[in-house]
Every structure is written in C-alpha cells, then in structure tokens.
C-alpha cells in the first residue's frame, strides 16, 4: 500500500536546522530507500508561491497564495509499505529526529493512503 505523508510546521525556531538534523534526515532517507519503502520525497515551497483552486456552487475560483493558515506545509514523502502502522513508524522516526536535534521545532504529519486502481475495480 502507498501512503502519502505531508508535514506541517507549527513552531519553528529562529535558528536554521542544525547540521546534525540534516545529516540524520539524509541517513533516514537512505535507510528507507534501501529498504525499498521510500518512493519519493521533497520539500515544498511556501504557500505564497502556490494557488488554491476551489469548486463551490458550481463555479471554479483560483486564489493565489499566501494562505492565512497558521500551519505551513513544508514537505511530503511517499512510502510503499505493508500497513498504515509501518507508515506511522517511518513518520514517527522522522518527527523524533526533529524533536531530538532541533530544540523548539514543532510540527505534525498527516498520513493518507493513496488509492490505486485495485480500489476502484468492479467486484469479480
């Protein structure tokens, strides 16, 4: 099963991320890639560089960022794992690195299963 993890920052220290954190993130990514579970990951640009497309009342509207959300999406990862619990474990390891290596940083991650063609196939 594929899971998409999106990470939001809720509190960011005034200091840049420590070198030790970046090295630990790279090591975790290499481990996940070596295990065959990390399919893709990347940072996301601030919402000021994006747009929102909305369908409401039968009309499409486009709003350029930035958006007034208190929490900014900052990255994503796409995992191919056996279960939601395995996706939670990889995500928890990533967040623990931030907790342990960048004092004052706080964030949250959403884990969503990516549905594939098998989810929409007609019953046999």
């Amino acid at each position: 099963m594929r899971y998409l993890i999106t990470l939001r920052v809720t509190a960011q220290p005034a200091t840049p991320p420590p070198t030790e954190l970046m090295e630990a993130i790279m090591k975790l990514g290499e481990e996940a890639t070596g295990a065959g579970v990390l399919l893709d990951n990347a940072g996301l640009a601030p919402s000021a560089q994006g747009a929102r497309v909305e369908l409401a009342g039968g009309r499409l509207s486009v709003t350029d960022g930035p958006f007034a959300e208190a929490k900014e999406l900052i990255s994503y990862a796409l995992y191919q794992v056996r279960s939601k619990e395995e996706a939670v474990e990889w995500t928890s390891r990533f967040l623990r690195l931030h907790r342990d290596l960048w004092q004052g940083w706080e964030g949250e991650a959403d884990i969503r299963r990516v549905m594939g063609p098998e989810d929409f196939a007609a019953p046999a």
Side-chain angles (χ1 to χ4, degrees), residues 19-84:
T19 302
E20 297 82 10
L21 173 62
M22 300 313 293
E23 290 170 353
I25 289 171
M26 294 296 292
K27 183 177 177 185
L28 181 62
E30 289 169 4
E31 182 182 345
T33 300
V37 298
L38 182 60
L39 301 178
D40 191 25
N41 69 321
L44 299 172
S47 68
Q49 297 178 22
R52 178 173 290 141
V53 180
E54 182 178 11
L55 173 62
R59 299 186 63 190
L60 283 173
S61 63
V62 178
T63 305
D64 288 329
F67 307 113
E69 297 139 358
K71 303 170 186 172
E72 185 75 41
L73 284 174
I74 60 170
S75 67
Y76 75 91
L78 182 61
Y79 287 99
Q80 175 80 41
V81 293
R82 293 179 297 275
S83 66
K84 179 177 80 173

